[in-house]
Amino acid sequence: LSVVIGMLAIVLTGLADDIWKWDPRLKVAGQLIAAAALAIEDVRPKLAEGALVPMFGPPDMALFSIGHFVISNASLYYWVGTALVALFVIGGCNAANLIDGLDGLLSGTTAIMAIGLLCISLLMAATEPVEDPETSLVGMRVVLSLALLGATLGFLPYNFNPAMIFLGDCGSLFLGYMCVVIIMSFGERGQTELVLAGLVVFALPILDTILAIIRRRLAGLPFHSADSNHIHHLLKRSLGTVRKAVLVLYAITAAFGVLGVCMAAVRLFTQTRVLA
């Protein structure tokens, strides 16, 4: 239910922006509503717990105490997990929105990323025991990955250059949201390494967003200001056509997808832990 509520919040936010050109702060507010809906689920503290347990210990340990006033690790993990959910939703939605600059780019790369996320979901389903079928996210991950793949593949022929239909903010924010929901669900039991593998699959939007933030910061421009120096713009100018640039980015996305799936496979089949 929380995922569906988040979907509606993101779609309505993007649709309103397409129609009325909302202020960026209103767009972020809509994304925070989607994040708040997701934060209700148990994946929130688990997402933080996997990263913080090596430093602070299990959730039932006391973080610090003053007299009879005790703050446990559970409280820390709860609020850090909440912040991570908000960061994932806002970052993922806007990262997807930023690379939606060429015909067929976002829909095609999302289809490729959906294949990578589906592979990781299936690997998790095949290797990890289901402790409670009523609350397990195993089925949700597979279904969402398949739905995302089917939707983007059905849309892509009409969105590829020369495009007849476009995603708009409604579509681009929604695709980013769906990707991060699946990636966050990999941390259902605190498997931070699997979340990292999912982020590697989603690496192209992340890299483009990081470069955009650095570029606009150095130029003294606000983050939401538009420019024509994104990765896809540079490739288009270098290669000469939209199709060539998009196909190269498809290949790059596929390479990141293979790397992310391999990382997940190593973790699941060998129990190798990644230390950072």
Side-chain angles (χ1 to χ4, degrees):
L1 180 61
S2 64
V3 174
V4 174
I5 293 172
M7 289 179 186
L8 292 173
I10 290 296
V11 167
L12 292 175
T13 299
L15 185 60
D17 184 59
D18 286 331
I19 297 172
W20 296 300
K21 302 301 178 186
W22 266 11
D23 184 280
R25 289 170 293 186
L26 291 176
K27 290 173 63 176
V28 171
Q31 293 162 28
L32 285 175
I33 293 174
L38 286 178
I40 298 171
E41 294 295 334
D42 194 42
V43 70
R44 166 185 51 188
K46 293 294 184 182
L47 193 63
E49 185 179 320
L52 297 179
V53 162
M55 292 183 287
F56 297 101
D60 55 354
M61 284 185 61
L63 182 62
F64 66 87
S65 60
I66 302 177
H68 296 291
F69 183 72
V70 179
I71 298 295
S72 68
N73 282 342
S75 299
L76 172 68
Y77 299 161
Y78 178 92
W79 291 110
V80 173
T82 300
L84 280 175
V85 171
L87 178 64
F88 268 62
V89 171
I90 293 175
C93 289
N94 288 286
N97 189 34
L98 284 177
I99 69 165
D100 185 28
L102 297 179
D103 293 348
L105 177 56
L106 179 56
S107 53
T109 53
T110 301
I112 296 169
M113 291 187 287
I115 294 173
L117 298 176
L118 175 62
C119 290
I120 296 175
S121 300
L122 292 173
L123 286 172
M124 293 178 68
T127 57
E128 296 192 339
V130 177
E131 297 175 355
D132 184 359
E134 294 295 327
T135 60
S136 174
L137 302 180
V138 171
M140 185 203 78
R141 284 190 291 265
V142 175
V143 169
L144 287 183
S145 298
L146 285 170
L148 182 61
L149 176 59
T152 48
L153 288 180
F155 185 83
L156 182 58
Y158 305 98
N159 183 234
F160 196 72
N161 182 257
M164 292 180 282
I165 53 177
F166 303 93
L167 285 167
D169 278 12
C170 181
S172 62
L173 294 177
F174 179 75
L175 292 184
Y177 170 81
M178 293 301 299
C179 288
V180 297
V181 166
I182 298 168
I183 292 169
M184 283 192 294
S185 72
F186 293 159
E188 175 187 9
R189 297 192 302 175
Q191 310 99 313
T192 309
E193 298 91 345
L194 298 179
V195 176
L196 179 61
L199 291 175
V200 171
V201 174
F202 195 69
L204 179 63
I206 294 174
L207 289 175
D208 186 57
T209 301
I210 292 173
L211 291 174
I213 292 173
I214 295 173
R215 184 173 64 249
R216 292 169 187 177
R217 180 69 175 174
L218 292 176
L221 299 172
F223 170 70
H224 57 81
S225 61
D227 63 32
S228 58
N229 290 311
H230 290 279
I231 294 173
H232 49 275
H233 292 137
L234 298 176
L235 272 175
K236 180 188 173 184
R237 289 196 291 268
S238 175
L239 298 175
T241 67
V242 170
R243 289 194 175 198
K244 288 181 180 179
V246 168
L247 291 174
V248 168
L249 290 170
Y250 285 177
I252 293 172
T253 304
F256 280 126
V258 170
L259 178 60
V261 173
C262 289
M263 288 176 60
V266 168
R267 173 67 180 92
L268 291 168
F269 288 113
T270 68
Q271 296 301 309
T272 302
R273 294 190 62 84
V274 179
L275 300 179

